[in-house]
Amino acid sequence: MKRKFLTFLTFILMLVTASFAKKVHTIGDSTMAPYDETATVTRGWGMYFGQFLTHGWTSVNYAKGGRDSRGGYQELWQTAKKNVQAGDYVLIQFAHNDEKLGGMDRDEVYDYYISKGMTAEASSLDSRGTYPSTTYKEWLGKIVDEVLALEAHPVLVGAACRAYFSAGKIRRNGRHDLGDSFSRLTANGILEKQSVPASDHLMDYTWHMEQLAKEKGIPFVNLTEATAQLYESYGETKCLDYLFDGQGSTHFNTTGAVLVARKCAELMKEQGIMAEDITLPTELSITPLTGDFGEAYMGQTLQKEFTLNGFGLQPAEGTVRITASEGITLSFDQKTWKESLQADYSASTLVKSFFAQLTLTEPGEKTGIITIHQGEATIEIPVVANAITLEGGTEVKAYWRLEKDDNYELTGPATVIDQSFEQMYVQRYSNPNAKTVWPEWTGYDASRKMQRDLLEGDNWPADEIDDNPTRYIQWGISPAAGMELKIDEISLFVAGCGGNGMCCHIYYSTDNFETRTTIYEHKKMPANNPQYVEAKPVITLKGDQQLLVRVYPWYNGAATGKTICLSDLTIHGMAVDTTTGVTTAETSHVVDTQYYSLDGKQLQQRQRGLNVVRQQMTDGSCVTKKQIY
């Protein structure tokens, strides 16, 4: 019999009751963190934990890449605890980044270097790293104590394994036990490549987390052991191909993240933790249950990821068909878009992601339906997006060319936040390489200079698999007094120079990076090949609110002198008077814009690349400039 699991009515009821839902808060590192589905294939298991909760519960994910337990307490928990209520649950997973410095405590090593007058070594030290039996437990304990003080329920979760295989088994260090090779700080210096027997838990982070749970009388979920068994059941090749993102042995793709989230929920239910509030469906289900694409500007094309999950499906082999209403197209790979898709499954199991895409051609709300068909059963997903127009104000543009200095050009009423550096500096301004290849549409050649930036100390560490939260380059903008600033574009060029191992994340934030949105992720960038990064956000800044843009670089392996190269950063939007909703009378603004090619030919509309732009202003003046779109 045909089943419809969700309609627009239930969608509305869900929105009405959402504010009363009890919450599970997840705090951890990059293996748990949320990721932008349009920027990367990497996924964190915390993104999917909520699908295993019964109605009345929601999951809120505060995890961020590169955080150890110290950063978890000092940063992530400080944000999360503002929202934790009595009766909520808090899942806490750290270890991956606590293992920096070979298992030594970062602050102890820093103090040692300072005491010996080794200031260069101290200044270039990684900001992360704890010792398992002391500071690791202490920082976790601080979070636990404060969760309990809020009358909420802490749950310590052993960190998901790294897929480090040896003879078909996950190695000791993959299980977060550094006992085979660790560093030890002594009064006479640092001893490297130390070891203890497998029976000795001295450097076993998961074991020490379990001891802390026993000491505090709180639950411990051994996701470390569970993921080791999961990986081994696939074998090394299938495990890496099926569960991981193709960029190493640590970060998941969608399938891996869903399976790890389900495993955590399964373990909790078995241990009686939220047992009545966790559901492990065996029939076909979909995440998310609604297709809310949010707001975007007229003409933009939006994409959203959905994940099909089925465990114990009947029949054991079959096909799931996905269809969508007019104006919505579907894809498995974000390259080929169709009106319908088919997903085959076997062994009664299906974990498959697909993407939906729609273009906002008219102002106002656009709605539709995505339908999942399995045999006679159907699941309907309501789709909604809202197209808005940006008009009635003064154009604002902040532009950093970054070819000879970090000066900027500002058009319109706004306040610019100067470029700044944390543990980074400008090495020089030059062309990345004589063989630099720019996108053809820019009109640039290899002589075009970029700002070449290097980390302090010049040496990239060997063991970085994610960005360092204390190393970044930043720019920003805020509204002028009495104005609101509506941001509709952030763009720049980024490249690596000196090798193909440069990696970076680019984010923006409007709350001083308590939360953030990913614009771009690239690992192992091809050297001397500037990549164009463009985001079209819908952001309104009010009062003293700031938009901050940050580039977080790291390198794939130990290296010296490799630089990240940046140029042509643009932040664009419109400013409106907060009292009238329009520009002030004394402010001249654009009344007509015409576009020309570089050879002077007038264009019907702006083209991708470098345009000559002529703008007629209300005061009678005419502004001509070159601009990249």
Side-chain angles (χ1 to χ4, degrees):
M1 185 176 71
K2 184 175 181 179
R3 296 176 292 156
K4 293 186 177 181
F5 287 86
L6 191 63
T7 65
F8 281 109
L9 177 59
T10 56
F11 175 42
I12 292 170
L13 290 174
M14 286 173 62
L15 293 177
V16 170
T17 59
S19 60
F20 303 103
K22 294 173 285 185
K23 295 181 175 63
V24 176
H25 308 264
T26 54
I27 302 175
D29 53 43
S30 58
T31 63
M32 180 191 268
Y35 292 87
D36 187 329
E37 61 207 35
T38 64
T40 179
V41 299
T42 305
R43 302 289 184 266
W45 68 263
M47 298 171 65
Y48 303 99
F49 185 79
Q51 75 181 56
F52 301 107
L53 300 176
T54 58
H55 292 307
W57 285 88
T58 60
S59 180
V60 187
N61 192 358
Y62 300 91
K64 287 184 181 180
R67 272 54 178 185
D68 62 358
S69 57
R70 178 186 284 106
Y73 175 78
Q74 293 179 337
E75 179 190 356
L76 306 186
W77 172 240
Q78 301 311 311
T79 298
K81 73 178 180 181
K82 302 172 187 176
N83 304 312
V84 174
Q85 302 293 320
D88 287 355
Y89 281 77
V90 181
L91 308 189
I92 307 160
Q93 176 204 264
F94 294 100
H96 285 271
N97 299 295
D98 288 87
E99 298 165 13
K100 302 293 183 183
L101 306 179
M104 297 184 294
D105 181 73
R106 185 267 179 192
D107 287 355
E108 291 178 1
V109 177
Y110 180 88
D111 290 343
Y112 171 80
Y113 281 148
I114 293 298
S115 71
K116 298 296 183 181
M118 303 167 68
T119 55
E121 288 81 355
S123 64
S124 62
L125 199 61
D126 197 306
S127 62
R128 299 160 292 180
T130 62
Y131 187 68
S133 64
T134 58
T135 46
Y136 175 64
K137 289 177 65 178
E138 289 166 8
W139 290 112
L140 291 177
K142 287 177 179 289
I143 301 175
V144 167
D145 290 344
E146 293 186 19
V147 172
L148 292 171
L150 294 171
E151 299 182 356
H153 307 287
V155 179
L156 289 172
V157 180
C161 283
R162 292 188 173 102
Y164 292 167
F165 278 85
S166 178
K169 297 292 185 179
I170 299 298
R171 296 199 306 266
R172 203 172 171 187
N173 58 341
R175 297 167 180 262
H176 308 293
D177 180 356
L178 303 185
D180 285 338
S181 181
F182 62 92
S183 299
R184 174 178 292 168
L185 178 64
T186 72
N188 298 318
I190 295 173
L191 302 178
E192 298 180 338
K193 298 182 179 179
Q194 303 294 292
S195 65
V196 294
S199 59
D200 191 325
H201 296 292
L202 176 70
M203 301 304 296
D204 187 341
Y205 285 85
T206 302
W207 188 86
H208 285 288
M209 175 185 276
E210 183 177 14
Q211 303 317 300
L212 176 66
K214 292 177 180 178
E215 294 166 12
K216 298 286 186 181
I218 64 168
F220 167 72
V221 174
N222 198 342
L223 192 60
T224 307
E225 179 60 29
T227 50
Q229 294 177 9
L230 175 67
Y231 301 171
E232 291 169 1
S233 72
Y234 282 95
E236 182 172 2
T237 299
K238 288 185 178 179
C239 174
L240 292 172
D241 290 346
Y242 192 52
L243 305 181
F244 287 82
D245 65 357
Q247 301 179 78
S249 305
T250 300
H251 298 113
F252 306 116
N253 60 18
T254 303
T255 300
V258 170
L259 290 178
V260 172
R262 191 179 197 275
K263 180 58 66 175
C264 183
E266 180 184 345
L267 293 173
M268 289 174 63
K269 192 174 183 71
E270 289 175 355
Q271 293 176 217
I273 308 165
M274 299 185 67
E276 300 301 317
D277 302 305
I278 288 176
T279 178
L280 300 171
T282 57
E283 60 188 12
L284 190 66
S285 61
I286 184 76
T287 305
L289 289 171
T290 61
D292 186 354
F293 284 73
E295 290 186 330
Y297 296 110
M298 281 277 293
Q300 281 190 252
T301 297
L302 303 178
Q303 293 181 14
K304 190 170 185 66
E305 182 183 36
F306 298 86
T307 303
L308 291 167
N309 304 295
F311 304 91
L313 297 177
Q314 294 298 323
E317 296 186 359
T319 297
V320 174
R321 189 163 59 92
I322 310 163
T323 60
S325 54
E326 185 178 358
I328 302 172
T329 53
L330 307 168
S331 176
F332 286 130
D333 60 7
Q334 295 178 281
K335 297 176 182 178
T336 303
W337 295 91
K338 302 178 180 180
E339 295 180 354
S340 65
L341 299 173
Q342 287 193 172
D344 297 329
Y345 69 88
S346 61
S348 298
T349 301
L350 173 66
V351 179
K352 182 74 172 180
S353 286
F354 69 91
F355 296 83
Q357 176 177 273
L358 57 85
T359 301
L360 301 177
T361 57
E362 298 178 356
E365 188 176 81
K366 179 179 177 61
T367 60
I369 293 285
I370 297 172
T371 307
I372 314 298
H373 312 262
Q374 187 215 358
E376 296 183 357
T378 63
I379 303 174
E380 290 188 350
I381 308 167
V383 171
V384 62
N386 189 39
I388 59 176
T389 57
L390 191 62
E391 56 187 19
T394 301
E395 182 182 27
V396 170
K397 179 184 175 185
Y399 173 67
W400 289 260
R401 183 163 177 167
L402 303 179
E403 190 174 16
K404 62 179 181 180
D405 53 39
D406 62 357
N407 292 337
Y408 60 85
E409 300 172 8
L410 175 63
T411 302
T415 300
V416 165
I417 299 163
D418 288 331
Q419 184 182 26
S420 60
F421 301 84
E422 290 293 332
Q423 298 184 19
M424 297 287 296
Y425 72 96
V426 179
Q427 184 197 49
R428 64 183 185 274
Y429 294 88
S430 70
N431 60 322
N433 188 281
K435 297 181 180 180
T436 298
V437 179
W438 290 85
E440 185 176 353
W441 55 265
T442 64
Y444 298 161
D445 59 29
S447 66
R448 172 77 175 195
K449 295 180 180 180
M450 302 181 76
Q451 183 187 82
R452 297 177 59 160
D453 300 316
L454 192 55
L455 81 169
E456 293 177 350
D458 297 356
N459 296 315
W460 297 95
D463 60 348
E464 292 192 319
I465 58 172
D466 207 333
D467 62 56
N468 184 327
T470 61
R471 182 201 305 139
Y472 58 83
I473 306 162
Q474 176 179 279
W475 307 261
I477 197 168
S478 62
M483 307 291 283
E484 282 186 0
L485 184 54
K486 299 179 182 294
I487 303 296
D488 66 345
E489 178 189 339
I490 304 168
S491 62
L492 72 156
F493 285 100
V494 60
C497 183
N500 296 322
M502 186 59 66
C503 311
C504 80
H505 288 142
I506 304 177
Y507 309 105
Y508 72 77
S509 175
T510 59
D511 58 10
N512 199 30
F513 275 83
E514 285 195 4
T515 60
R516 63 191 184 182
T517 299
T518 306
I519 300 175
Y520 181 76
E521 175 187 271
H522 201 147
K523 297 175 182 177
K524 303 179 185 179
M525 288 189 285
N528 314 314
N529 191 344
Q531 305 292 307
Y532 184 56
V533 178
E534 182 182 50
K536 297 285 188 180
V538 178
I539 300 171
T540 298
L541 303 175
K542 301 179 180 181
D544 59 358
Q545 193 175 16
Q546 298 176 336
L547 169 71
L548 298 177
V549 179
R550 289 181 182 175
V551 176
Y552 285 81
W554 74 101
Y555 203 80
N556 181 44
T560 300
K562 312 297 186 183
T563 57
I564 185 166
C565 305
L566 306 168
S567 73
D568 297 282
L569 173 69
T570 299
I571 303 175
H572 181 274
M574 299 288 284
V576 297
D577 187 277
T578 56
T579 57
T580 66
V582 298
T583 56
T584 54
E586 64 271 16
T587 302
S588 178
H589 60 278
V590 178
V591 294
D592 183 55
T593 302
Q594 296 177 339
Y595 301 97
Y596 296 83
S597 62
L598 295 178
D599 60 7
K601 181 180 178 181
Q602 187 170 1
L603 305 171
Q604 293 297 316
Q605 59 185 10
R606 71 185 189 184
Q607 63 183 7
R608 186 173 178 83
L610 196 60
N611 295 247
V612 177
V613 184
R614 293 180 183 172
Q615 295 176 323
Q616 187 69 38
M617 313 299 289
T618 52
D619 63 4
S621 64
C622 182
V623 177
T624 301
K625 55 189 176 182
K626 292 180 181 179
Q627 191 163 348
I628 292 176
Y629 292 99

